[in-house]
Amino acid sequence: MDLAYTEAEEGFRGRLREWLAAVLPGLPPKPSPDDWPARRAYDTAWQRMLYDAGYAGLHWPVDAGGQGATPTQHLIFLEETERAGAPYVGANFVGLLHAGPTVAAEGTAGQRARWLPPVLRGDEIWCQGFSEPEAGSDLAALRTRAVRDGDTYVVSGQKIWTSHAEVADWCELLVRTDPDAPKHRGISWLAMPMDAPGVTVRPLRTPAGSTEFAEVFLDEVRVPVGNRVGAENDGWRVTMVTLSFERGTAFVGEVVACRRTLDALAAEARRNGRWDDPVLRRRLGRLNAEFRALWRLTQANVGESQRTGGVPGTGGSVFKLRYSGARQELYEAAAEVLGAEGAFDLGREWVLDRLSSLAYTIAAGTSQIQRNIVAERILGLPKGR
């Protein structure tokens, strides 16, 4: 991959920097982490600003409502917005980074026209209804049933770790439509309206005190058959598309954020005297190399997705596996920099991030699952028994 920027790409960077410098000072203060309606309003307002300026869905195909930008322009956008301290996608995460791209790749023309423009404008929020309490890491062991009744599915079951469910308008939902088929072949991917009768949301509080996850209970919820993305019982294949986006490109902005955090940690260590510790300096230096390598891997994965029609490949599992560990190591290093007096102070910068980093080896597919994917699909090793 050619890592040099062209004159046109540097021009794009310059225009983006000018726009960010003009609009960011006028943003209101970020709302309290506990105020989810306010967080939704803040995140969707930023998304609308991106949309009006022509930066929403920058790398999405034009026929999906995006700008059709090159992978390099997309990476420049992520670099510049992170370096400028611009808001992250926040509550828009699921819709913008994997549900929307899945609909763009697998949906019908009508589905794309209905769901994608509201995502790009920030009008609608999506959540993810994949995990279930008794399935563990085996996503295909899901039990939520969808029984066909004419032009609707009647859905009953339970989901857990449903990201942003309490403020979502739609849910990307996996259901079992054929209980007699092998478990990977009887699944369908549905778009479920969260205001449908029979949907109950119960927020889950994390160790950091946040409630970005929820349990969702489904009691004979009626979902139109027209809300199914892909063929009936072909949901596992569609799910692999979703997960390839979630693991392959959804975290790329966070790599830039981690590199910025690493610079801030080094500055803090110099300020508070911990920079004199050669072990800590070596640790920060190794992490710097790790995140530089992850950024190069990100560039390769984004470039591959462009060459293969916009869907990331199995290289996303390599990235997800290493990024999860590197992020945890970064915030362990942050605890060293803060010292005993600051590492457990929830009011200090980086402490809450340290707590949230513990989930990254589980979220979006556990590290054990990623190792299996790398072993079987990349290295060609036999499946474990």
Side-chain angles (χ1 to χ4, degrees):
M1 181 175 183
D2 184 3
L3 301 181
Y5 295 112
T6 67
E7 183 178 346
E9 288 163 349
E10 290 294 357
F12 171 78
R13 185 192 300 275
R15 292 189 297 275
L16 176 59
R17 282 184 177 177
E18 289 179 4
W19 182 77
L20 290 169
V23 302
L24 290 180
L27 293 182
K30 290 184 179 180
S32 166
D34 297 327
D35 189 345
W36 272 100
R39 288 180 65 176
R40 172 185 167 130
Y42 182 88
D43 294 339
T44 54
W46 172 246
Q47 182 61 28
R48 183 64 196 221
M49 291 177 69
L50 292 173
Y51 180 84
D52 291 340
Y55 292 117
L58 191 67
H59 61 299
W60 285 24
V62 174
D63 62 1
Q67 305 297 318
T70 67
T72 302
Q73 286 176 314
H74 178 212
L75 294 175
I76 289 172
F77 172 81
L78 293 170
E79 285 182 318
E80 294 302 323
T81 51
E82 284 292 346
R83 286 172 178 168
Y88 189 51
V89 292
N92 296 306
F93 179 88
V94 174
L96 283 168
L97 301 185
H98 43 88
T102 300
V103 173
E106 297 289 334
T108 65
Q111 290 171 339
R112 288 152 67 104
R114 167 59 188 88
W115 290 317
L116 298 183
V119 167
L120 292 177
R121 292 192 302 264
D123 293 341
E124 293 180 344
I125 298 296
W126 286 62
C127 63
Q128 185 181 64
F130 281 18
S131 300
E132 295 192 4
E134 297 182 17
S137 297
D138 187 3
L139 180 59
L142 64 91
R143 298 183 182 182
T144 295
R145 290 280 303 275
V147 179
R148 184 79 175 257
D149 180 20
D151 292 333
T152 63
Y153 289 110
V154 181
V155 181
S156 296
Q158 180 183 354
K159 297 293 179 177
I160 198 167
W161 311 124
T162 308
S163 305
H164 305 317
E166 62 192 78
V167 292
D169 304 291
W170 292 91
C171 178
E172 53 172 2
L173 184 72
L174 295 187
V175 296
R176 187 159 300 284
T177 41
D178 185 351
D180 299 322
K183 65 180 183 179
H184 291 86
R185 298 181 183 174
I187 294 171
S188 296
W189 196 108
L190 304 180
M192 181 185 71
M194 290 297 288
D195 61 356
V199 177
T200 301
V201 176
R202 295 180 185 172
L204 295 167
R205 191 165 297 279
T206 71
S210 179
T211 57
E212 66 262 31
F213 303 116
E215 296 177 289
V216 177
F217 299 87
L218 308 169
D219 183 12
E220 296 189 348
V221 180
R222 302 188 75 87
V223 179
V225 171
N227 286 18
R228 187 188 67 232
V229 175
E232 186 170 280
N233 300 325
D234 192 32
W236 186 252
R237 183 191 62 80
V238 179
T239 301
M240 292 301 99
V241 173
T242 304
L243 293 179
S244 69
F245 283 115
E246 186 175 14
R247 297 165 183 168
T249 54
F251 287 115
V252 293
E254 296 190 32
V255 176
V256 182
C258 285
R259 292 176 67 182
R260 188 175 64 185
T261 296
L262 186 59
D263 290 341
L265 283 176
E268 174 64 16
R270 292 185 179 96
R271 188 197 65 77
N272 65 20
R274 290 187 170 85
W275 189 253
D276 295 334
D277 182 351
V279 175
L280 176 61
R281 290 201 307 273
R282 283 196 297 271
R283 186 172 194 178
L284 294 179
R286 185 178 58 78
L287 282 168
N288 183 50
E290 286 269 9
F291 283 107
R292 284 178 177 272
L294 280 167
W295 184 246
R296 295 308 187 208
L297 180 58
T298 293
Q299 291 175 308
N301 285 341
V302 171
E304 179 190 9
S305 72
Q306 183 71 11
R307 292 190 298 272
T308 57
V311 178
T314 52
S317 289
V318 178
F319 170 83
K320 169 61 172 60
L321 178 62
R322 189 58 214 134
Y323 171 72
S324 299
R327 184 182 175 93
Q328 290 181 350
E329 292 172 24
L330 172 66
Y331 287 105
E332 286 298 318
E336 288 187 42
V337 170
L338 291 174
E341 69 278 11
F344 299 98
D345 181 355
L346 294 181
R348 289 292 302 271
E349 188 178 12
W350 305 314
V351 175
L352 292 179
D353 289 323
R354 183 189 180 201
L355 290 174
S356 69
S357 75
L358 301 176
Y360 274 69
T361 48
I362 300 173
T366 66
S367 291
Q368 290 86 347
I369 294 295
Q370 305 312 313
R371 290 188 180 97
N372 285 342
I373 292 172
V374 171
E376 296 168 12
R377 301 183 193 175
I378 297 178
L379 301 178
L381 299 177
K383 291 187 176 183
R385 296 184 179 274

